[in-house]
Amino acid sequence: LSDVKDQMKLFSMYYNPYPLWVHPRDGMIHPGVRNCGTVTRRPTGSNPNMLQVKKGKTREIYLPRYDDHIIIAADFNGQELRIAGSEARDPVLIDCYTGGGFRTDEDGMVHPIVKDVHSVTASSFAAEIFRSHGMSIGKISYEEFVALRKGQGGDQEKAIAELCRKYAKMVNFLIIYVGQASTLAMNLGMPVRFCEGLMTTVFQAYPRLAPWQEEVISFGKRYGFVKTAYGNLRHLTADIRSRNGWERSRQERQAVNFTVQGTAADILKVVMTAAWDTKLFQETGAVLMAPVYDEAVCSVPAKNAYEFCQRLQSLMNVTPPGHAIPMMAEFSLGLSWGSLHELGDNPSQRRVESTVEGLLSGRVEYAKAS
């Protein structure tokens, strides 16, 4: 029944309506994008909504604009957690993204060394999860947890470590938006009491997150609005002072949500404006297919792939006003939006060109086989 439901959703969202949106002149579909489609000022899409296309097969129908183009998708590494860490001035999150220094790869390209935040979170409660699986183990450091994920403790330990990281990822995105333990329990399929303990442990691991959320809510109650790092405001409703707990908590969550997602929306607009001002698309011959929240999906001439990546990297690696953690863009290349090869941040010319060569050779072989 679950499989049938999933397939019916694919038909209703993609396979049935997409043919109806084909333009009669050029035979292509032209998705609509509204620059400020939500109250957080993030974009929204329509006919079709590229911002909600499910990963996997359904993204493979999004192809380069021209035959000599490839798809380049650039997205921000951990954008929302970076923003939350800076807004909260949390020392642990700031250290995760800025305390590791830099490394130089074999091609001479410099990359910042960052920790996997979800593993940092997981290491804070991993010992309890291991004990629940009948394994006696003491407190686990970040380095020890990473080693367990790599299988250095055995297959069972690796599987449990992966489970811990899965839990951690859900917890991370829940707590920065003032989510409740009951919601986490429903998502994980675990008891509410267990999830309450999980969230308490994580808040202890990031000591400034909870106080910062209270500060944002207190500010909103006092002034009737909250703002992003760039100074854009969202006015709150009278529910922020309501005696009704459900109505008040909803406004409180939205206040914290806007501080993070509104800043993310501002960053996207800053990057897109800079791309226009520097004539990035005009001079490289690239086409912006859509801004997808924290990602820019572009059709780029294969011969200009490296130049495009370098120029877009410099535009996306911005630091919002007053923030301690900079943004960092990571790049993926492919022949469709659904089949991308991840190259990470600041990929070298050799790596980009070798990837492009591999993609194009695969395309030629496919054409011959057809």
Side-chain angles (χ1 to χ4, degrees):
L1 287 174
S2 179
D3 290 342
V4 170
K5 183 179 178 181
D6 289 342
Q7 294 304 314
M8 290 177 67
K9 185 175 181 180
L10 290 175
F11 272 92
S12 64
M13 290 186 66
Y14 306 111
Y15 305 141
N16 289 335
Y18 271 43
L20 305 179
W21 288 322
V22 174
H23 196 280
R25 289 188 180 178
D26 58 22
M28 290 185 288
I29 296 173
H30 299 272
V33 176
R34 297 169 66 184
N35 196 33
C36 295
T38 68
V39 291
T40 60
R41 303 178 67 251
R42 277 188 157 185
T44 56
S46 61
N47 301 335
N49 185 353
M50 271 192 71
L51 284 67
Q52 292 182 344
V53 178
K54 185 178 180 180
K55 290 184 178 181
K57 284 283 186 182
T58 47
R59 288 191 174 185
E60 291 183 5
I61 65 172
Y62 288 88
L63 304 174
R65 178 67 177 82
Y66 302 104
D67 290 340
D68 61 343
H69 282 215
I70 62 170
I71 297 294
I72 295 182
D75 68 325
F76 291 105
N77 169 277
Q79 185 184 45
E80 293 175 331
L81 288 167
R82 286 172 180 260
I83 294 171
S86 289
E87 289 286 330
R89 304 184 304 281
D90 185 85
V92 178
L93 279 171
I94 292 173
D95 179 72
C96 285
Y97 291 112
T98 66
F102 297 87
R103 64 176 179 85
T104 304
D105 65 19
E106 64 275 12
D107 295 318
M109 307 302 291
V110 178
H111 309 269
I113 300 174
V114 300
K115 292 181 179 178
D116 173 32
V117 178
H118 301 312
S119 291
V120 172
T121 301
S123 64
S124 68
F125 59 76
E128 182 180 350
I129 305 298
F130 273 92
R131 285 194 292 270
S132 71
H133 284 75
M135 304 178 68
S136 179
I137 190 168
K139 184 174 175 59
I140 301 174
S141 68
Y142 169 75
E143 290 74 19
E144 290 170 339
F145 183 82
V146 171
L148 289 172
R149 283 192 66 212
K150 292 180 179 179
Q152 295 182 15
D155 292 340
Q156 184 180 6
E157 288 80 356
K158 180 180 179 181
I160 297 174
E162 289 294 343
L163 180 65
C164 290
R165 189 182 181 278
K166 177 183 176 182
Y167 287 175
K169 190 171 183 179
M170 292 186 183
V171 173
N172 278 341
F173 289 111
L174 189 79
I175 62 175
I176 65 172
Y177 292 128
V178 202
Q180 305 297 314
S182 57
T183 304
L184 181 63
M186 184 170 59
N187 292 340
L188 294 181
M190 302 292 282
V192 174
R193 182 172 296 181
F194 170 82
C195 292
E196 288 174 345
L198 213 61
M199 293 177 67
T200 299
T201 302
V202 174
F203 274 121
Q204 291 172 348
Y206 302 112
R208 274 289 304 161
L209 275 184
W212 160 68
Q213 291 175 347
E214 289 300 323
E215 291 163 8
V216 171
I217 293 168
S218 177
F219 182 94
K221 287 180 179 178
R222 181 175 182 181
Y223 296 103
F225 67 85
V226 289
K227 57 184 179 180
T228 70
Y230 289 88
N232 289 303
L233 309 183
R234 176 180 179 180
H235 293 275
L236 304 172
T237 70
D239 288 346
I240 192 68
R241 303 186 187 96
S242 173
R243 293 183 179 181
N244 183 304
W246 185 84
E247 293 176 347
R248 185 178 64 254
S249 64
R250 182 180 62 179
Q251 274 294 289
E252 291 174 350
R253 288 194 301 272
Q254 290 179 359
V256 177
N257 179 293
F258 177 77
T259 305
V260 177
Q261 288 200 2
T263 299
D266 290 346
I267 292 171
L268 179 63
K269 291 169 177 57
V270 167
V271 172
M272 291 295 99
T273 300
W276 177 264
D277 290 342
T278 59
K279 294 182 171 54
L280 171 64
F281 294 102
Q282 296 93 321
E283 293 178 357
T284 61
V287 178
L288 175 65
M289 296 176 67
V292 185
Y293 300 130
D294 63 345
E295 178 183 7
V297 183
C298 309
S299 175
V300 183
K303 63 180 181 180
N304 296 333
Y306 176 68
E307 177 191 354
F308 182 85
C309 289
Q310 285 290 289
R311 291 178 63 173
L312 186 55
Q313 179 100 57
S314 67
L315 300 180
M316 293 181 69
N317 285 13
V318 300
T319 303
H323 279 206
I325 305 173
M327 298 296 106
M328 184 177 76
E330 297 180 322
F331 291 83
S332 300
L333 281 62
L335 298 182
S336 76
W337 189 24
S339 56
L340 297 172
H341 299 265
E342 297 180 0
L343 299 185
D345 68 289
N346 200 22
S348 67
Q349 184 171 1
R350 179 194 63 83
R351 195 172 182 200
V352 171
E353 291 180 350
S354 64
T355 301
V356 170
E357 182 181 354
L359 291 172
L360 296 181
S361 64
R363 175 187 286 171
V364 170
E365 291 172 4
Y366 178 77
K368 289 180 180 178
S370 298

